[in-house]
Amino acid sequence: MQWITLFNKEVLENWRNKKWIWVPIVMILLTIMDPISYYYLPEIINLAGGVPEGTIIEIPKLAPSEVVMMSIEQLNLFGVLTIILLSMGTIAGERQNGTTEIIMVKPVKHHNYITAKWTAFLLLVWIGLFLGLLINWYYTNLLFGNLNFLTMLKIFLFYGLWFTFVLTVSIFYNTLFKVPGLVAACTVITLLGLSLVNTILGHKLTLFPNQLSTYIYQMVETNSISNHLLGTSVIVLTLTVLILIASIYIFKNKEVVN
């Protein structure tokens, strides 16, 4: 009952802050911006007057799988930044202004406090991601060729694990620091560090979390789920659970000390 109350509070607060409006809009824009721009690029160039009169511009047509991955690349950068900015103050901000102390006096169980916030933000992120990929699927079929709806759902489920991981890392740093900016910086540095490790040792660490996008692309091209994709997904999910448990433990001990 306590957890439901906390969860409803977070969902309502996200609605009051218009996050239920702007997060899906951002996700939709990120997933359709590149495909639509690419499709209408000849017209855009002609309207801009950037080529000699009479010049015919032919842009190679992309396969549906390439269109989807074009959007995934945008999500890998700007989608991840959106999640970090979205969640960087969810606990740190409340700890900084003293709201957390007021809430924990109730008393509120530490794991309920953390998991309710995590779940509320996760619901927001997953719905935003689903709407973004759904609109992308529609325009991909309309402009570039057929992409199976089931394939879109698989992309959503597997890539959603990466967004879940990013959110959990942000929640973890929320329990360590009281300054939202520091939470965002540490989250970005952690993800950049993982990306650097993947760049250097990716050929050896075949199940490294950052390989997830690569295996999703292979899944779209081959229309089959590889063992590498399943293995990487399990590792990402396992790390997510461990980081969430660590977040609860750190938060509980910090509150006891305080």
Side-chain angles (χ1 to χ4, degrees), residues 60-121:
K61 188 173 182 180
L62 297 178
S65 59
E66 294 174 310
V67 175
V68 172
M69 293 315 298
M70 184 186 293
S71 298
I72 292 294
E73 288 177 4
Q74 289 293 323
L75 292 173
N76 273 335
L77 178 57
F78 297 108
V80 166
L81 288 176
T82 299
I83 293 174
I84 294 173
L85 294 174
L86 176 71
S87 60
M88 67 180 186
T90 180
I91 298 172
E94 290 188 353
R95 292 175 63 207
Q96 190 177 51
N97 61 30
T99 303
T100 301
E101 294 179 6
I102 297 173
I103 294 175
M104 300 309 293
V105 168
K106 300 294 183 181
V108 171
K109 294 180 179 178
H110 296 85
H111 64 272
N112 284 342
Y113 179 78
I114 296 293
T115 56
K117 283 183 171 293
W118 179 78
T119 307
F121 276 95

Side-chain angles (χ1 to χ4, degrees), residues 80-235:
V80 166
L81 288 176
T82 299
I83 293 174
I84 294 173
L85 294 174
L86 176 71
S87 60
M88 67 180 186
T90 180
I91 298 172
E94 290 188 353
R95 292 175 63 207
Q96 190 177 51
N97 61 30
T99 303
T100 301
E101 294 179 6
I102 297 173
I103 294 175
M104 300 309 293
V105 168
K106 300 294 183 181
V108 171
K109 294 180 179 178
H110 296 85
H111 64 272
N112 284 342
Y113 179 78
I114 296 293
T115 56
K117 283 183 171 293
W118 179 78
T119 307
F121 276 95
L122 192 63
L123 180 65
L124 175 59
V125 168
W126 274 62
I127 289 178
L129 176 63
F130 178 78
L131 292 175
L133 290 176
L134 182 65
I135 301 300
N136 173 269
W137 170 79
Y138 170 77
Y139 277 104
T140 298
N141 280 272
L142 182 67
L143 302 176
F144 296 94
N146 182 57
L147 179 69
N148 191 282
F149 184 74
L150 182 60
T151 300
M152 189 278 290
L153 287 179
K154 291 177 183 176
I155 296 170
F156 165 67
L157 291 173
F158 283 112
Y159 193 76
L161 293 177
W162 178 248
F163 269 11
T164 303
F165 175 76
V166 172
L167 174 64
T168 310
V169 171
S170 178
I171 293 293
F172 172 77
Y173 284 117
N174 265 273
T175 63
L176 282 177
F177 308 115
K178 292 185 178 181
V179 181
L182 188 56
V183 171
C186 289
T187 305
V188 170
I189 290 171
T190 298
L191 296 175
L192 287 175
L194 290 173
S195 180
L196 180 62
V197 172
N198 184 60
T199 301
I200 298 173
L201 300 174
H203 60 289
K204 293 182 178 180
L205 305 175
T206 55
L207 299 183
F208 199 70
N210 293 65
Q211 298 275 16
L212 196 61
S213 295
T214 302
Y215 296 137
I216 289 175
Y217 179 65
Q218 292 176 1
M219 178 193 71
V220 176
E221 281 212 314
T222 62
N223 199 29
S224 63
I225 300 174
S226 67
N227 291 332
H228 282 117
L229 177 56
L230 290 174
T232 305
S233 299
V234 170
I235 288 177

Side-chain angles (χ1 to χ4, degrees), residues 4-107:
I4 295 294
T5 302
L6 290 170
F7 173 75
N8 289 337
K9 167 188 168 296
E10 293 300 323
V11 172
L12 181 60
E13 186 174 333
N14 287 338
W15 173 255
R16 287 172 176 169
N17 293 332
K18 304 295 188 295
K19 292 175 182 176
W20 280 102
I21 297 175
W22 69 260
V23 171
I25 290 176
V26 168
M27 293 297 178
I28 290 171
L29 289 175
L30 289 177
T31 54
I32 67 172
M33 184 170 54
D34 277 1
I36 292 179
S37 298
Y38 185 88
Y39 184 82
Y40 290 106
L41 185 58
E43 286 81 359
I44 293 172
I45 294 175
N46 285 328
L47 288 174
V51 295
E53 186 177 349
T55 301
I56 299 176
I57 302 174
E58 293 186 3
I59 305 295
K61 188 173 182 180
L62 297 178
S65 59
E66 294 174 310
V67 175
V68 172
M69 293 315 298
M70 184 186 293
S71 298
I72 292 294
E73 288 177 4
Q74 289 293 323
L75 292 173
N76 273 335
L77 178 57
F78 297 108
V80 166
L81 288 176
T82 299
I83 293 174
I84 294 173
L85 294 174
L86 176 71
S87 60
M88 67 180 186
T90 180
I91 298 172
E94 290 188 353
R95 292 175 63 207
Q96 190 177 51
N97 61 30
T99 303
T100 301
E101 294 179 6
I102 297 173
I103 294 175
M104 300 309 293
V105 168
K106 300 294 183 181

